[in-house]
Each structure stands twice: as structure tokens, then as C-alpha cells.
Amino acid sequence: MDLLDLALGNLLSPIILSFALGLAAALARSELTIPEAVAKGMSIYLLFAIGFKGGVAVNVAGLDVTLVGALVAGAVLSFALPFAAFSLLRVMTRLSTLDAAAVAAHYGSISIVTFVAGTSVLDAAGIGSDGWMVAVAAVMEAPAILSALWLVARSGQGRSMDAELWREILLNGSIVLLVGSFAIGWITGQEGLDRIASFIVSPFQGVLCLFLLDMGLVAGRGLREARGVLRPGLLTFGVTMPLVGACAGALAGVFLGLGTGSTMLFMVLGASASYIAVPAAMRVALPEANPSIYLTLSLGVTFPFNLTLGLPIYLAFARWITGG
């Protein structure tokens, strides 16, 4: 299967078409909406299912040197990528230090939905991956926030790292749910998964389609309302930084000796941009930063790019460098 076939197959998948429907509806100013409570419920469901299945995978495979190395590599990657993003932003845009740091934090953290879409692409291609990669995703949620706060503190702006801020970062709802469900899956193992498989396995793809429909609506509204904010430099950054992050993820996968599937997922984690955990932290840590910039860029530009073009590119590259 060549890159064009991969891209076409991904574009015609139900999850991508669901996102496209939401995006088109929002841009056309349709009244279609997903109630906020429903969207929140779907988010909770997806995070729990992802974490639980990842914990079961670790229980079955066992804790080994490769897993520990992957966790360390993920944390290092998340901490380092904001510095690359910040440098690119200072060259490519006229953003202030505060806004550039806030944007950079999003590109060091991860999008769990992009990660799930990546696993769907692997499944469609018949390529396996290590189930514990979801643990790497959990590790990569928070370090980028610390990097961004350091960048701001160095410039003499922003907020000091007090107890309340540490609590907001480490006890963010998405992080707690992902890590907690991972621990439950790890403790209960395959027996636990068998008990609730009808809840977290069979309905998963359908819930993901509805969630991406909502993401398309949110992204479309953001694009419609922030046309004056997304200047050429920012738009270019929004599709360049994912490629930079993907290359860093590929290096991590090769260094660890991972297979094609896990290397591709490392690339996806490096390429994705947060739109859940980091925005929540930025509202507390850097309230002066402009959310219309970092939210629209991560959700309205990078997220669609990764879903439509990025995932096939990352898989093709992972196959090439691993010989898969």
C-alpha cells in the first residue's frame, strides 16, 4: 500500500469523515451542535477506555526495559519539543514571548484523539503496536507545560510555580482519568477487560466518530472566528511543527528498537498538539496569553492536518525507517 492509498483510505474512514462533517457544518454556520454535557461524557469514556486497555496490555506483556526506556524517552520528548516550537515561533511569527510559550506548550504535549486515530490507521493496515504506548501518551501530557512556564519565567513574565499551579498541572482531569484507568487495567488485567469488553471495546469506534464530529464543530467555529489571528506565519507553523515533532518521535522509536506500529505512534505523539490538558493549565498559569491563538492553531490547523495527511505520512515513514 503506497502513500496515496494510505491517505485515501484514511480520508474515507468513518472517523475522518465524521470530523469533516462537523467542520463543514460549522463553517456553513449550521445549527448542528453536540450538548456540552454529552461531549464531556464522550471525552471521559474515551480516556477511560484508552487508559484501561493500555493498562491491560502492560499487565499481559509485563514491565520491561523497553517500556521504561519508552516512558523516559516520552518525558524527554515532551519537555524538549516546546523549546523547538518556541524557537520556530520567534522566527516565523511576531507573537509575544507569552503567547509563543503558551503555543509551544501545546506542541510538546499530546492529543489523545490523534493517538487513537493513529491506532485505527494501524489496525486498518494490519500492523500491530505495543499496547503500553498509551502509558507513554500519559507521561507526555505534563512536561511540556513546565517547559513553557520556564520560558516565560526566564523573560520575567508569567506566574511562579506555586502549589496551586502544580496541583492544576498534575491533577488535571484528563491526566488523572488516563493514569487512573491505566492503573485499573494494569491491576485487573485481561480478566478485568473481559468483564467490561462490551462497554469499552465494541462501542469505542462509534463514540469516537461522534466525538470527532464535535471536534469538527469546535474547530470550524474557531477557524471562522479567528480569521484575523491566523496569519501566514502561524499557519505555516501549524503544519511544520507536527513534522518536526514526528521526526523527533521517529528517532526515539528507532533508538529504542521499536517495531513499525509503535514507532509510528511515537511519531504521532511527537506530532500532535494538546487541546484538552494544556489549555486548562494555560488558563491558570498564563491567563494573559491569547486562547484564540493557541486553541485555534492546535485544534483548527494541526489537528485536521494530522488526521488527514499526517497519519499516512507518519506510517509510510515508520515503515521505511523500520523496514516494516
Side-chain angles (χ1 to χ4, degrees), residues 10-252:
N10 192 43
L11 287 171
L12 296 180
S13 68
I15 59 173
I16 304 302
L17 292 176
S18 297
F19 178 83
L21 173 60
L23 186 67
L27 292 176
R29 299 180 184 275
S30 167
E31 295 182 358
L32 176 63
T33 59
I34 302 292
E36 185 177 350
V38 174
K40 182 69 173 177
M42 290 190 295
S43 176
I44 291 172
Y45 169 84
L46 291 172
L47 286 170
F48 182 86
I50 293 162
F52 191 95
K53 288 186 285 188
V56 171
V58 172
N59 178 284
V60 172
L63 190 65
D64 58 15
V65 175
T66 303
L67 171 55
V68 174
L71 294 174
V72 172
V76 170
L77 198 63
S78 177
F79 188 80
L81 282 175
F83 293 95
F86 185 81
S87 299
L88 280 176
L89 285 166
R90 300 298 277 174
V91 171
M92 300 171 67
T93 73
R94 296 182 178 180
L95 290 183
S96 65
T97 298
L98 200 66
D99 283 329
V103 171
H106 291 70
Y107 286 82
S109 189
I110 59 101
S111 160
I112 197 67
V113 178
T114 309
F115 176 82
V116 175
T119 62
S120 298
V121 170
L122 289 175
D123 290 341
I127 299 174
S129 62
D130 295 300
W132 45 253
M133 282 298 298
V134 69
V136 179
V139 165
M140 291 181 68
E141 285 270 20
I145 300 172
L146 302 179
S147 300
L149 295 180
W150 184 86
L151 286 166
V152 172
R154 187 184 61 172
S155 68
Q157 305 176 51
R159 175 181 170 182
S160 61
M161 294 293 294
D162 56 21
E164 182 184 351
L165 184 53
W166 276 109
R167 181 181 180 280
E168 178 67 25
I169 294 172
L170 297 178
L171 295 182
N172 179 275
S174 61
I175 296 176
V176 170
L177 183 55
L178 191 62
V179 174
S181 60
F182 180 89
I184 295 172
W186 192 356
I187 293 168
T188 60
Q190 188 62 47
E191 182 182 351
L193 179 60
D194 292 340
R195 289 184 179 183
I196 60 173
S198 60
F199 174 68
I200 68 169
V201 177
S202 300
F204 186 85
Q205 291 292 327
V207 175
L208 181 60
C209 285
L210 289 177
F211 184 77
L212 280 170
L213 171 65
D214 183 56
M215 288 294 97
L217 290 169
V218 174
R221 294 186 194 112
L223 286 172
R224 200 177 66 211
E225 296 169 1
R227 290 175 182 173
V229 173
L230 295 178
R231 301 188 183 280
L234 269 177
L235 288 171
T236 303
F237 170 84
V239 297
T240 300
M241 188 59 205
L243 299 176
V244 173
C247 289
L251 289 175

Side-chain angles (χ1 to χ4, degrees), residues 260-274:
T260 300
S262 294
T263 297
M264 187 262 199
L265 291 181
F266 238 121
M267 294 178 69
V268 171
L269 291 173
S272 61
S274 173

